[in-house]
Amino acid sequence: MSEFTFLKGSEDWWRQAVVYQIYPRSFADANGDGIGDLKGIISRVPYLKQLGIDAVWLSPFYPSALADGGYDVDDYRNVDPKIGTLEDFDQMIDALHAVGIRVIVDIVPNHSGDGHVWFQEALRSPKGSPARDRYIFRDGKGQNGEIRPSELSSHFGPTAWTRITEPDGTPGQWYMHLFASEQPDFNWDNPEVREDFLKTLRFWSDRGVDGYRVDVAHALVKNLKDGHLPERQSYDLSVMKNDGTDDLFDRDEVHEIYKSWRKVFNEYQPARMAVAEAWVHAHRRPPYASTDELGQSFNFDMLGAGWDVTKVRDVVKVNLKAAADNGTSTTWVLSNHDVIRHATRFGMPDDTDFFRWYGKNRFNAKVDEAQGLARAKAMTLALLALPGSTYLYQGEELGLQEHLTIPAEQMQDPQFFRNPEFGFSRDGCRVPLPWSRSGSSLGFGPGGSHLPQPAWYVDYSVEAQDGAAASTLEFYRKALGIRAGLVCEETWSEVKHLFNRQVFHFKRPNGWQSITNFGSKPVKLPKGELLITSQPLVDGRLGANATAWLK
Ligand code: NOJ
């Protein structure tokens, strides 16, 4: 045990933590306006405690016009009045800390919301002014500047440039936004921008926040030197340069920023942690996760592995090796607020192109929900047994399926509106949680819900599952409880089943074993005390789509 560094309560608490993502607007609504709030979270602290998580990560709760679900931040050092107040925030931190749950908040440094005082000042200020220099304003092309400065497209489609009206009423300059037009990109070459984010990090750290999830951490610095403007049409990783010289993403210079953030994190005791949302080539992840910078970087590879044992095995091996080589720990992610819930993904054919297919076909999607849920539970159980931290997304502990049939007029996601040819929306995983079997929003709050809940949510409610031995909720509670007692040194070894490669079986150094059956025939369990299974055994064997833990 000499090299065993994981100690609860220490600086390293995050290395093998179970982090539960709360999407605040859809978790619990205390004031009855149909939008979740901090008081709602406070009211559910006993639930979170009973679930057995180590930390929560809160998606943005800052003042926002909600052009992108709160990722358009108008004030980085405040709470949206619809969600609560700074006093509520302090109470929430105290309530969570009191039961041993840490708090990670989202930081959105690539862009603000267009209601941010700086952007409003920029709109009022003349071309070339210091206020405009905090963002990326450029003249248009053409005789009257009417043609956008470059062909750069937005991640949400179509263009990344929006033209403003100058204070004198004439059509004016254009500003760059990699996401929605309400999300102007900051100019990270401007020292004021850099300083302001350090101030924000200190502001929340002083209030007791334990860590940060850094939104699009690989963007920030762009190649804008000597009048150059990016022309990129696709956001696919395959077109991103992998040597630090890409026009938009993962430029080498971005690491100076995170080095300066680390100095701030280390001003605190224990040092604040951070995890980068950095969609970069695998070999470029290490610096983000280094101890000089953010400390951890999301590994989203499991999202692309499907129910394919070869891919899963590969993703596990590659990421655990990379994390170990780099002195950090990896993250396991199956769901979040941006992707189709994994209980639904695993119920669709493995080769489904979720982005292109799902949008247009969502009303007649054929989902095998029972298979989806079985595979979701099996995969979750396997990942919880691996070294590294696991990020859970609210509602997955209820086995929630994606809400596929939200009518277009009730959609909120800018991706849905800006890319009509795909019709892809992230709203289906952001529907307010069902807490009870009845009430205007199934216990989410006393006043309805900002996205419609489908009728079948009743059966997934906490009330329907609480205490029911076979429920998904009780399964999560049991698994997390067992895991808490077993977390150990961050190593693992695969147990190879030479005659059945459809089995993924590994051991941790303390004898903890996890075995998953990706094949169709039941398999014999290894020797040991059976701790938990994701499905009942079949004649004493582990059936298809199931995982078991033994010791
Ligand atoms: C990633 C976030 O997870 C997503 O929800 C958001 O739309 C973009 N970044 C832009 O902030």
Side-chain angles (χ1 to χ4, degrees):
M1 294 289 275
S2 57
E3 283 161 347
F4 176 40
T5 54
F6 179 82
L7 288 168
K8 253 190 147 94
S10 77
E11 300 258 329
D12 285 343
W13 66 267
W14 50 271
R15 291 184 68 101
Q16 298 195 81
V18 176
V19 183
Y20 180 89
Q21 181 189 357
I22 292 182
Y23 189 75
R25 288 177 175 83
S26 299
F27 185 67
D29 171 25
N31 67 5
D33 63 357
I35 298 172
D37 44 43
L38 300 183
K39 283 211 158 57
I41 297 176
I42 296 171
S43 74
R44 299 296 178 183
V45 169
Y47 172 83
L48 296 168
K49 160 90 179 131
Q50 195 184 353
L51 185 56
I53 53 166
D54 300 302
V56 291
W57 146 33
L58 265 59
S59 280
F61 48 82
Y62 313 107
S64 166
L66 295 187
D68 181 20
Y71 284 88
D72 46 320
V73 179
D74 286 344
D75 180 353
Y76 288 87
R77 297 187 284 274
N78 213 335
V79 174
D80 191 311
K82 292 188 283 309
I83 292 192
T85 61
L86 282 170
E87 289 68 41
D88 294 341
F89 185 86
D90 294 341
Q91 276 174 25
M92 180 196 71
I93 292 245
D94 288 348
L96 287 163
H97 281 173
V99 297
I101 297 176
R102 316 231 182 202
V103 181
I104 297 172
V105 300
D106 227 301
I107 285 287
V108 189
N110 180 65
H111 45 265
S112 69
D114 61 359
H116 192 286
V117 283
W118 276 2
F119 192 70
Q120 290 302 312
E121 189 188 344
L123 293 182
R124 289 194 308 269
S125 305
K127 181 177 151 179
S129 59
R132 287 231 175 142
D133 188 57
R134 297 183 190 120
Y135 292 90
I136 305 172
F137 280 88
R138 293 292 182 272
D139 291 333
K141 296 196 257 193
Q143 226 171 12
N144 301 306
E146 71 282 10
I147 302 171
R148 52 180 186 257
S150 82
E151 289 306 305
L152 178 66
S153 67
S154 142
H155 184 58
F156 291 160
T159 173
W161 293 102
T162 292
R163 194 171 195 191
I164 64 158
T165 302
E166 296 293 345
D168 64 2
T170 57
Q173 285 198 293
W174 299 68
Y175 65 90
M176 186 196 282
H177 50 88
L178 294 189
F179 293 91
S181 50
E182 297 88 348
Q183 293 168 294
D185 279 37
F186 281 117
N187 169 19
W188 273 88
D189 292 330
N190 182 315
E192 243 187 301
V193 171
R194 294 191 179 220
E195 273 308 309
D196 200 63
F197 271 89
L198 298 182
K199 194 167 160 190
T200 296
L201 295 175
R202 289 198 178 95
F203 179 86
W204 294 108
S205 298
D206 288 345
R207 293 197 108 89
V209 158
D210 301 283
Y212 300 89
R213 176 263 187 193
V214 185
D215 191 65
V216 274
H218 57 310
L220 279 61
V221 184
K222 285 126 201 159
N223 179 13
L224 302 169
K225 295 258 154 35
D226 306 322
H228 177 78
L229 287 179
E231 298 281 352
R232 175 80 120 278
Q233 297 291 299
S234 160
Y235 279 57
D236 208 289
L237 194 61
S238 62
V239 301
M240 186 194 298
K241 284 198 194 159
N242 63 5
D243 61 357
T245 66
D246 189 82
D247 268 358
L248 292 176
F249 299 114
D250 190 32
R251 292 180 64 77
D252 285 338
E253 299 94 306
V254 84
H255 296 293
E256 288 160 26
I257 297 171
Y258 300 129
K259 288 195 173 113
S260 71
W261 288 24
R262 171 51 56 190
K263 288 194 185 124
V264 173
F265 299 149
N266 289 352
E267 287 166 10
Y268 294 86
Q269 186 46 258
R272 297 334 189 205
M273 62 77 75
V275 54
E277 186 217 20
W279 294 86
V280 300
H281 294 278
H283 75 278
R284 302 272 310 168
R285 263 185 226 144
Y288 294 90
S290 78
T291 47
D292 285 350
E293 298 190 22
L294 297 174
Q296 202 176 35
S297 182
F298 272 124
N299 140 33
F300 293 118
D301 296 349
M302 228 18 117
L303 294 174
W307 187 254
D308 177 327
V309 68
T310 310
K311 287 188 188 155
V312 168
R313 193 178 273 125
D314 208 43
V315 166
V316 169
K317 285 186 178 164
V318 168
N319 283 287
L320 288 179
K321 179 167 185 323
D325 288 351
N326 193 36
T328 183
S329 70
T330 195
T331 68
W332 302 114
V333 178
L334 288 170
S335 276
N336 62 34
H337 64 296
D338 289 332
V339 298
I340 299 173
R341 286 187 174 278
H342 63 286
T344 300
R345 289 202 319 270
F346 283 130
M348 289 180 174
D350 274 348
D351 55 357
T352 306
D353 177 340
F354 292 105
F355 183 67
R356 289 187 177 72
W357 179 89
Y358 151 83
K360 282 192 180 148
N361 296 287
R362 64 201 167 89
F363 283 101
N364 48 24
K366 299 262 180 303
V367 183
D368 180 339
E369 292 183 0
Q371 173 193 289
L373 182 57
R375 290 183 175 179
K377 287 166 68 181
M379 190 69 98
T380 303
L381 198 60
L383 299 185
L384 282 169
L386 286 166
S389 51
T390 303
Y391 282 72
L392 307 177
Y393 177 55
Q394 66 176 40
E396 68 166 86
E397 78 279 17
L398 304 176
L400 267 188
Q401 298 278 336
E402 184 85 358
H403 182 3
L404 293 167
T405 54
I406 300 176
E409 59 280 9
Q410 286 178 281
M411 290 287 195
Q412 298 177 7
D413 185 0
Q415 217 163 321
F416 179 74
F417 298 106
R418 294 179 63 99
N419 264 322
E421 72 276 28
F422 295 135
F424 178 82
S425 168
R426 299 168 296 176
D427 291 324
C429 68
R430 299 177 177 184
V431 175
L433 291 190
W435 293 91
S436 55
R437 286 195 175 101
S438 55
S440 68
S441 56
L442 303 176
F444 166 64
S449 103
H450 67 100
L451 277 168
Q453 295 166 312
W456 48 263
Y457 253 38
V458 173
D459 301 330
Y460 289 85
S461 64
V462 175
E463 187 184 357
Q465 300 194 40
D466 191 25
S471 71
T472 308
L473 178 58
E474 292 300 343
F475 163 74
Y476 267 72
R477 286 174 175 163
K478 184 173 175 190
L480 296 183
I482 297 173
R483 182 190 191 272
L486 287 176
V487 170
C488 58
E489 208 175 324
E490 293 176 51
T491 56
W492 76 300
S493 55
E494 189 178 0
V495 182
K496 295 210 170 94
H497 291 232
L498 290 180
F499 299 107
N500 188 354
R501 298 292 286 156
Q502 292 298 313
V503 165
F504 183 50
H505 179 192
F506 58 89
K507 277 190 179 161
R508 298 291 297 272
N510 57 352
W512 180 14
Q513 301 184 60
S514 174
I515 174 165
T516 305
N517 184 3
F518 284 84
S520 53
K521 294 202 184 86
V523 296
K524 214 173 137 205
L525 285 173
K527 285 203 174 49
E529 178 201 350
L530 184 61
L531 302 174
I532 185 172
T533 57
S534 64
Q535 295 292 319
L537 295 178
V538 183
D539 297 329
R541 292 171 163 243
L542 185 66
N545 304 326
T547 294
W549 284 355
L550 302 100
K551 178 131 197 267

